Amino acid sequence: KQMRREAANSILNASVNLLGFCLVVITSLHIANFKDGHLVDEAMMVVAVFLSLSALLSYVSVRQLEKSFSETLFRIGEFLFISALFGILVSVITITFEYIK
């Protein structure tokens, strides 16, 4: 149980930090008027929602006393976190290829 709690705390911390990164990217795309940024912008918004939900579920998982419900919340939060990381990777690759053109 202690290891899961530490993992949930790590996911909570990383999710909040990456959420800040997503908001900076979204803001930067709008300020720079990135020509093909609407797809990246929308992807980053989905990533931001996933990270927000991941952080929320990880927090509730840590605070939850019932072990089975806590484990379920942790697993869902973990899945959303991994999905968000994949979304960030795809967005970064897309932005990189747009600037290389």
Side-chain angles (χ1 to χ4, degrees):
K1 180 174 176 163
Q2 181 64 25
M3 200 142 154
R4 185 202 42 80
R5 177 169 273 170
E6 289 174 11
N9 280 329
S10 295
I11 289 175
L12 173 60
N13 186 28
S15 292
V16 171
N17 288 326
L18 288 173
L19 180 58
F21 168 76
C22 288
L23 296 177
V24 168
V25 170
I26 291 168
T27 303
S28 299
L29 290 173
H30 283 278
I31 290 172
N33 286 326
F34 191 57
K35 59 181 177 179
D36 294 325
H38 65 281
L39 291 176
V40 174
D41 189 36
E42 291 171 7
M44 291 306 281
M45 287 182 196
V46 170
V47 166
V49 169
F50 280 14
L51 289 170
S52 297
L53 290 172
S54 176
L56 178 66
L57 291 174
S58 295
Y59 175 78
V60 174
S61 168
V62 169
R63 304 294 294 172
Q64 184 59 245
L65 296 177
E66 185 184 327
K67 185 179 178 184
S68 63
F69 186 58
S70 176
E71 185 69 27
T72 301
L73 292 175
F74 171 72
R75 293 291 171 209
I76 295 169
E78 185 178 44
F79 172 77
L80 289 170
F81 180 74
I82 296 298
S83 299
L85 286 179
F86 181 74
I88 289 171
L89 174 67
V90 170
S91 296
V92 168
I93 290 170
T94 302
I95 291 170
T96 301
F97 283 125
E98 285 300 318
Y99 276 115
I100 289 175
K101 281 186 186 180

